[in-house]
């Protein structure tokens, strides 16, 4: 790669990394929106006209009246005044506003880099896929919100919430991988097919864990068992398969979802511990890999600790109140995303073929 191509790739990579950071913030805002019960405060999806919040008293009253027609208001927030409504409206509006800003950053950046001729032909297709994934994520978000505005629903459907979260993670991972391809040279990679395969398996298990975590959040299942290490005194709860057919328990039964979430956490810890032992044994690892191979174990330990603290603090959950549980839950979600990106980074670093690696090592790369 010549110097001008390297500069071009760095510019595009920086732009995409900024987008990844903004997407992470977007998911965090989504978590705040959920924890504050704000997700159904805006009952319409106006892509353009919804950019600005209500600007006068009459507009606020109009929006409040729309919210009053929902089952959530009728059953949960009938005591809300306009000030209460403005609080939950802000978080949902800001969540949507930030999503629009992510779109603006990507579109404006794309046009600017295209104009400056920084984009190579090989970059265009991945970027178009990225735009399509972003648009799809917005549509999935509205489908999720709509699920809480129909019939007698007072919350969004947990399965729709999980789908929205997983789509967001898929978008973030795709953008992150693309940015890595533009910014991390092959000289920094490591040859180890066995560890690369193990890393891929961990990522697959982690995706399932994150999906179950989203179901936990959607069902508010943390409080169903606020004890640790047992689940309400049992290692294996007796009500795991009380629903019929049996498989519906994995998406509807709070106890089952809670049990699976804990079990996958322990499984991931063991898998990452094995990964770390394997990674420590690699000879001639690149300096970058040597510095970063401690991160998966650190993040999985932090994630488990935050999960335990969230469970123990779940009895303190109070409606419409942000307390210690909400802080822990938010950090729990954020750490999970960083853990996922760390494993993806490890997978990328373990991508090189043996011949390329040996040749580069001989060259002193």
């Amino acid at each position: 790669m010549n110097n001008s191509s390297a500069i071009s790739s760095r510019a595009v990579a920086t732009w995409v990394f900024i987008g990844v950071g903004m997407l992470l913030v977007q998911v965090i805002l989504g978590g705040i929106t959920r924890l504050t019960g704000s997700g159904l405060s805006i009952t319409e999806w106006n892509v353009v006209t919804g950019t600005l919040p209500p600007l006068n008293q009459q507009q606020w009253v109009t929006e409040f009246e729309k919210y009053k027609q929902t089952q959530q208001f009728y059953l949960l927030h009938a005591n809300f005044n306009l000030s209460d409504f403005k609080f939950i409206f802000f978080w949902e509006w800001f969540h949507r506003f930030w999503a629009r800003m992510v779109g603006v950053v990507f579109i404006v950046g794309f046009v600017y880099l295209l104009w400056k001729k920084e984009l190579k032909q090989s970059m265009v297709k991945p970027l178009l896929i990225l735009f399509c994934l972003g648009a799809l994520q917005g549509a999935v978000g509205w489908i999720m919100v709509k699920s809480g505005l129909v019939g007698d629903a007072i919350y969004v459907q947990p399965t729709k919430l999980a789908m929205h979260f997983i789509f967001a993670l898929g978008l973030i991972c795709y953008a992150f991988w693309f940015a890595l391809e533009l910014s991390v040279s092959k000289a920094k990679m490591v040859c180890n097919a066995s560890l690369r395969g193990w890393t891929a398996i961990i990522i697959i298990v982690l995706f399932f864990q994150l999906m179950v975590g989203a179901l936990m959040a959607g069902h508010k299942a943390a409080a169903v068992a606020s004890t640790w290490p047992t689940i309400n005194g049992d290692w294996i709860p007796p009500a795991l398969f009380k629903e019929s057919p049996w498989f519906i328990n994995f998406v509807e039964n709070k106890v089952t979802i809670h049990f699976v979430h804990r079990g996958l956490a322990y499984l991931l810890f063991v898998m990452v511990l094995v990964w770390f032992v394997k990674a420590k044994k690699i000879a001639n690892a690149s300096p970058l890999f040597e510095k970063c191979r401690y991160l998966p174990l650190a993040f999985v330990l932090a994630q488990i600790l935050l999960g335990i603290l969230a469970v123990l603090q779940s009895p303190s959950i109070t409606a419409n109140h942000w307390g210690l549980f909400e802080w822990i839950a938010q950090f729990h979600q954020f750490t999970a995303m960083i853990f996922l990106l760390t494993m993806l980074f490890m997978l990328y670093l373990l991508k090189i073929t043996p011949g390329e690696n040996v040749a580069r090592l001989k060259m002193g790369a």
Side-chain angles (χ1 to χ4, degrees):
M1 180 183 292
N2 59 43
N3 188 54
S4 61
S5 296
I7 294 173
S8 174
S9 294
R10 282 200 298 270
V12 178
T14 299
W15 166 57
V16 177
F17 274 128
I18 290 172
V20 170
M22 292 186 71
L23 287 169
L24 289 173
V25 172
Q26 174 69 357
V27 177
I28 291 170
L29 290 173
I32 295 174
T33 300
R34 179 185 59 80
L35 289 167
T36 55
S38 306
L40 301 180
S41 58
I42 302 178
T43 59
E44 298 173 340
W45 190 32
N46 298 314
V47 178
V48 178
T49 58
T51 302
L52 296 177
L55 300 176
N56 56 54
Q57 184 71 8
Q58 183 54 50
Q59 289 179 353
W60 275 114
V61 170
T62 299
E63 291 298 326
F64 193 23
E65 289 301 320
K66 293 176 184 177
Y67 178 64
K68 285 181 178 180
Q69 305 307 310
T70 67
Q71 286 295 302
Q72 186 183 76
F73 172 81
Y74 180 72
L75 295 175
L76 294 180
H77 297 154
N79 62 332
F80 263 27
N81 56 35
L82 187 58
S83 178
D84 296 323
F85 173 70
K86 286 181 178 180
F87 174 78
I88 63 171
F89 185 97
F90 168 78
W91 285 113
E92 174 63 7
W93 170 82
F94 191 47
H95 182 48
R96 298 189 188 191
F97 175 79
W98 191 263
R100 291 180 173 93
M101 291 302 100
V102 173
V104 168
V105 167
F106 273 109
I107 293 173
V108 171
F110 181 81
V111 172
Y112 174 77
L113 291 168
L114 195 62
W115 174 61
K116 297 290 288 184
K117 298 181 179 180
E118 301 279 8
L119 293 178
K120 293 182 290 187
Q121 186 64 36
S122 60
M123 299 176 184
V124 175
K125 183 178 178 181
L127 289 172
L128 291 177
I129 293 174
L130 192 59
F131 290 142
C132 291
L133 290 175
L136 178 63
Q137 173 64 359
V140 170
W142 175 243
I143 292 171
M144 177 194 67
V145 171
K146 196 70 175 177
S147 72
L149 296 173
V150 296
D152 58 355
I154 58 175
Y155 296 112
V156 300
Q157 291 180 8
T159 51
K160 298 291 196 305
L161 176 67
M163 182 172 66
H164 186 48
F165 183 54
I166 291 300
F167 269 77
L169 293 179
L171 174 61
I172 290 170
C173 288
Y174 184 87
F176 184 65
W177 187 272
F178 179 53
L180 289 176
E181 289 183 330
L182 296 173
S183 59
V184 180
S185 69
K186 290 185 177 181
K188 297 178 181 179
M189 297 179 183
V190 178
C191 174
N192 193 300
S194 174
L195 188 58
R196 187 170 191 271
W198 192 241
T199 306
I201 293 172
I202 291 175
I203 290 174
I204 292 171
V205 175
L206 180 54
F207 254 100
F208 276 105
Q209 171 70 323
L210 292 167
M211 183 171 62
V212 176
L215 289 173
M216 280 274 292
H219 281 293
K220 307 184 188 307
V224 77
S226 58
T227 61
W228 187 84
T230 63
I231 298 178
N232 295 329
D234 297 306
W235 290 104
I236 301 178
L240 285 180
F241 297 102
K242 67 177 182 178
E243 305 292 340
S244 183
W246 65 269
F247 56 82
I248 202 69
N249 287 280
F250 293 98
V251 292
E252 295 292 341
N253 187 335
K254 295 181 182 182
V255 174
T256 305
I257 293 168
H258 194 119
F259 175 77
V260 171
H261 193 53
R262 289 199 194 189
L264 286 175
Y266 302 143
L267 175 61
L268 279 168
F269 170 71
V270 173
M271 293 178 74
V272 172
L273 186 60
V274 172
W275 185 96
F276 178 71
V277 172
K278 287 176 174 288
K280 285 284 289 181
K281 292 180 179 179
I282 292 179
N284 298 321
S286 68
L288 180 59
F289 185 80
E290 287 184 345
K291 290 178 181 178
C292 297
R293 59 188 171 189
Y294 299 91
L295 294 178
L297 186 59
F299 280 121
V300 76
L301 285 171
Q303 183 66 353
I304 290 176
L305 176 60
L306 288 168
I308 293 170
L309 291 175
V311 164
L312 296 178
Q313 282 295 320
S314 61
S316 67
I317 297 175
T318 304
N320 305 317
H321 172 73
W322 187 277
L324 182 58
F325 170 82
E326 286 73 20
W327 279 112
I328 295 172
Q330 195 62 20
F331 278 110
H332 186 53
Q333 182 188 55
F334 177 72
T335 306
M337 293 189 294
I338 300 302
F339 177 36
L340 174 62
L341 293 184
T342 299
M343 294 310 306
L344 202 65
F345 184 43
M346 295 298 103
L347 183 69
Y348 185 81
L349 290 181
L350 290 161
K351 189 177 180 181
I352 200 166
T353 61
E356 290 172 323
N357 194 45
V358 171
R360 292 182 184 279
L361 285 172
K362 288 181 177 179
M363 293 170 60

